[in-house]
Amino acid sequence: MKRTFFLTAIVVITLSLMSFSCEKETTQGLNKDKIEMLTNETYQLTYNAGECVWLSEQPLIASVENGLVTAHLVGKTNVCANDDACSVIVNPRYNTFREPLMGVDVTVEAVQQYMKDYDLLENEGGEEGVYAYISKDNTTMYTYSFNGPILEMAYVVLPEVSAEEVALFLKERYLPLDEEIEEAFISIDQQVMVGFLSDMGMNLVVYFNVPAGQGFPEYESNMAKARQLIPVQ
């Protein structure tokens, strides 16, 4: 039986907003031209140049109603009152770990540069296209898996963090992928799928690149493979 995905509504919202932006980046009537918020915070903007229509360029990040801005997901957007714009930056409450470098155009060289402050582990299994790194304090491990020149997925193993904190970290950055799988997420731009599982005191976060036009990677089978990466204590 097919699961009911939330993505249909998200796709419609995203596509409808792609062409929308404030016509002029001015703040003649707004009391602020820039605000920074934490997720789930609210802030009241005011407009003193008559009646106005309030709109958010990306309401999945921050929505607005009668000038009341509500921060939802980490990111940046503009809230508009007529032609005036206020930049809204939503910051995270949790900075539990550094997320891996993702993107269909990411190269091995780019990963090496991004992970330069981590130690590269020896590939004991000799599996081609797999690069593993560990933090200097030996608490966090990253594994990148390439299929030829294409980065397919990356894993982060967090042994010393609570599962609740990891879940909160992901929920303030990503949208739910499926109403039946609490641990599955999708980025706002729908280019990265994220899975999370916790087992035997280890937390495993798996990032899948989503190539344009190729659909989403099969979640359950890929997570089953990823489960094998959790070290046995």
Side-chain angles (χ1 to χ4, degrees), residues 21-28 80 82-85:
S21 63
C22 301
E23 295 181 7
K24 295 185 293 183
E25 294 185 357
T26 63
T27 56
Q28 295 177 1
C80 308
N82 293 344
D83 293 340
D84 292 357

Side-chain angles (χ1 to χ4, degrees), residues 13 17 35-43 56-65 68-77 79 88-94 167-176 188:
I13 293 172
L17 292 170
I35 56 174
E36 291 197 31
M37 311 171 66
L38 296 174
T39 53
N40 298 318
E41 279 188 341
T42 59
Y43 184 88
S56 171
E57 289 185 358
Q58 182 46 280
L60 295 175
I61 294 175
S63 60
V64 62
E65 184 175 358
L68 182 65
V69 181
T70 302
H72 302 294
L73 295 176
V74 173
K76 181 179 179 181
T77 187
V79 165
V88 178
I89 298 173
V90 180
N91 294 313
R93 293 179 181 272
Y94 298 90
L168 290 169
F169 174 95
L170 295 172
K171 287 177 180 178
E172 66 177 7
R173 289 167 170 81
Y174 298 94
L175 295 163
I188 289 177

Side-chain angles (χ1 to χ4, degrees), residues 39 74 77 79 92 104 114 116 139 144-145 219:
T39 53
V74 173
T77 187
V79 165
V104 293
Y114 183 77
K116 64 182 180 180
T139 61
Y144 292 83
S145 179
Y219 178 80

Side-chain angles (χ1 to χ4, degrees), residues 93-224:
R93 293 179 181 272
Y94 298 90
N95 292 287
T96 309
F97 64 96
R98 186 188 191 198
E99 294 191 281
L101 182 65
M102 296 301 295
V104 293
D105 297 325
V106 169
T107 63
V108 172
E109 292 74 20
V111 168
Q112 291 171 340
Q113 177 63 27
Y114 183 77
M115 302 299 296
K116 64 182 180 180
D117 294 328
Y118 295 75
D119 293 329
L120 178 64
L121 298 177
E122 184 177 351
N123 188 351
E124 296 180 356
E127 188 173 351
E128 187 175 353
V130 176
Y131 302 86
Y133 298 83
I134 194 162
S135 58
K136 297 294 184 182
D137 59 4
N138 292 322
T139 61
T140 308
M141 188 178 75
Y142 295 78
T143 301
Y144 292 83
S145 179
F146 284 81
N147 182 5
I150 306 299
L151 175 62
E152 289 189 328
M153 60 186 73
Y155 314 86
V156 184
V157 179
L158 303 154
E160 298 183 1
V161 180
S162 70
E164 291 78 10
E165 183 175 333
V166 176
L168 290 169
F169 174 95
L170 295 172
K171 287 177 180 178
E172 66 177 7
R173 289 167 170 81
Y174 298 94
L175 295 163
L177 174 67
D178 189 309
E179 63 181 0
E180 297 182 14
I181 309 177
E182 293 183 2
E183 301 84 5
F185 304 90
I186 190 73
S187 60
I188 289 177
D189 60 11
Q190 299 165 39
Q191 294 181 4
V192 179
M193 188 174 77
V194 183
F196 167 55
L197 57 87
S198 182
D199 193 10
M200 296 183 297
M202 295 286 181
N203 298 297
L204 181 66
V205 185
V206 187
Y207 295 76
F208 305 93
N209 273 330
V210 183
Q214 295 187 24
F216 296 102
E218 209 291 320
Y219 178 80
E220 291 183 353
S221 63
N222 278 292
M223 289 303 293

